[in-house]
Amino acid sequence: MDLESAIGGHPIKKDSWRAVLTLAYQSLGVVYGDLSTSPLYVYKSTFAEDIQHSETNEEIYGVLSFVFWTLTLIPLIKYVFIVLRADDNGEGGTFALYSLLCRHARVSSLPNCQLADEDLSEYTIDGVDLTNKNTCGSRLKSTLEKHRVLQRVLLVLALIGACMVIGDGVLTPAISVFSAVSGLELSMVKEQHRYVEVPVACAILVFLFAIQHYGTHRVGFLFAPVVITWLLCISAIGLYNIFYWNPHVYRALSPYYMYKFLKKTQRGGWMSLGGILLCITGSEAMFADLGHFSQLSIKIAFSFVVYPSLVLAYMGQAAYLSQHHGAESNYRIGFYVSVPEKIRLPVLVIAILAAVVGSQAVITGTFSIIKQCSSLGCFPRVKIVHTSSKIHGQIYIPEINWMLMFLCLAITVGFRDTKRMGNASGLAVITVMLVTTCLMSVVIILCWHKSFLFAIAFILIFGSIESLYFSASLIKFREGAWVPIALSLIFLIVMYVWHYGTRKKYEFDVQNKVSINWLLGLGPSLGIVRVRGIGLIYTELVSGIPAIFSHFVTNLPAFHQVLVFLCIKSVPVPHVRPGERFLVGRVGPKEYRLYRCIARYGYRDIHKDDMEFEKDLVCSIAEFIRSERAETSVKLEDIEESERMTVVGTSSTHVDGVRMCEDEGETAETSEVREIKSPKKLRKRVRFLVPESPQMEMEARRELQELMEAREAGMAFIMGHSYVKAKRGSGLLKKVVINYGYDFLRRNSRGPSYAWSVPHASTLEVGMVYQV
């Protein structure tokens, strides 16, 4: 299966109920692993210190009421019924919301955006006309576009959300696995279990991160059965406890018990909200993993399976605790104490498996958010390994994986209890939700074209609830909440420094472009010897001639007969269809044989391997040459340099266009295609299969012949090795950021994605100093 073709086609997951229910079943293992394991630690974290369980049961009933209404208002109403509708062509998450805003207003963080990008099929959503805006949306759009400060605020908001997701990728595996393993405490002497839980939890975490490079597609089919088994288990135990211990516990679902709880506990009750909010840990995954499923399947899975199972589980624990007061010690208030003794061991095994599944989903989500940040120029380039050729989104980032493992182990060994882990995890979770609420309020006005009142109502209702929980979590700063703040601050600095340095470097390129008159003055030979082959000159510019090209011409004695200015750029859409992948145009007159090729990728697109990319690149240039005169493709005017760019797809989309064959054998001619062959037999034989076209001139055929011969001679990748320095007279902060921060990140990050696997013999690097 061609993964890119499948993504490019972007089939809508709909129609049959069987397909929807299958997706709902699969989503249980991918989306809800983290959320379903929250009963392991919610009550234990809530009653850890701030409040005590008394004979009146007002505390336990109040906590149950808070848990029930928090689950109802945030995951069910906010996410299922509202936020899931704000998808970006089927994709979800913090950057999906930011991407929507970037397309509806010119607030993008990407420096090399073009008007041509707005003609992409996925640039508009659901057929909404971007020019048809009401008064509220128009005012907000113009305000955002005028004020750079507001644009930076939106970017920082999105980055904070991404940083907290990464922090959650550290904390969730630690608290989930440690809480699952803590069931050993009931089968051991009180002090002995402390020496067993931490080593066992660390061993499971090491195993979990060590198998990441194999990918989850090999064992992914087990995820849904594990989570379903776990949900059935906790709901059955919950029902048993309700009927056996306290059938009237349902009365605690009344909001009146929240009032009684806060009235009695006061400050302690408010501080305990930091533990209660853990019941919605993993809710953001419903939106973040939307791209793998459909809205309807995620709604069905949560509304009819996850939500009732969690409510029964929490009610069952409350029913048991309402009849058991003054336990030997507060560590007895937890999940396992409410499990009948005879089935505790199998429940412990299922809990550990469910915790591993939930942790796996969070780790994969962390990889995904880092890839999105990197695609949008907000994170240093890292190695991204696609672990499955069939399942989109299954990626592995080695550097991030081992960093997460080290941090997870440090948290587990350093904290050794669910109280501080819960404080840290809760702050990360609620911050991501607050960021989503803020961005959603802007999406409601700008993208949905609703009134300000609707957006204000949304942010007042959900923002006030989340702010209450946020304040309760933030007050626990010294008891563990400092961890996500420290982690997110470090990642935020890294992201912003990289974004700032990348943008300054691009601005330098734009300001120092070489004029076309200089190129014309060199003549077709460029003033140097032109040898056979194709030279790919990597540049971030989408128009004009980069300054580094003059550096090449000045310092190199010879250049290739075909030169291509290659720009690989990201656009603020999740996917670019293969048929719209390349923009191809000329630089200078025809006889110069200089081309510009812009390869466009969405923030969730998969970059092909180098050999396939080279073939697509050469085919796109050949198709451009063939269709240039006939003008069968869409032409777009580049305003700055008057370069005419043509939209050309990948080789797999050229059904009626040029196709390229590279082999040693002979191919018979057919009546539908004419074969243009190289007259010389070379080591690698290249043939262009061109459709019959009487309008095709001999000049175009000669140009195709030269391109074919150049391809046979080989390709060389020519890259500028830039050294970015702050200009003289720059402020101290800018010098530190550029000369030390950005330079350190640049030296320790990877080069452009297409050059990762290029043989060193085919690569030429020329150094150049950038004064920004």
Side-chain angles (χ1 to χ4, degrees), residues 230-262:
W230 169 249
L231 290 172
L232 290 175
C233 179
I234 61 175
S235 56
I237 294 171
L239 281 172
Y240 169 79
N241 286 328
I242 291 170
F243 287 106
Y244 188 83
W245 294 109
N246 188 355
H248 301 292
V249 73
Y250 68 88
R251 295 174 181 171
L253 301 182
S254 169
Y256 175 68
Y257 284 88
M258 291 192 289
Y259 166 75
K260 290 182 67 177
F261 170 78
L262 292 176

Side-chain angles (χ1 to χ4, degrees), residues 167-181:
D168 196 31
V170 173
L171 297 164
T172 293
I175 189 172
S176 297
V177 172
F178 187 84
S179 299
V181 172

Side-chain angles (χ1 to χ4, degrees), residues 50 69 106 159 221 228 277 286 366 430 482 544 555 557 572 599 669:
D50 302 310
W69 286 105
R106 299 185 187 280
L159 292 182
F221 68 94
I228 289 175
L277 76 87
M286 285 192 286
T366 304
I430 202 64
W482 61 269
N555 291 276
E669 292 189 19

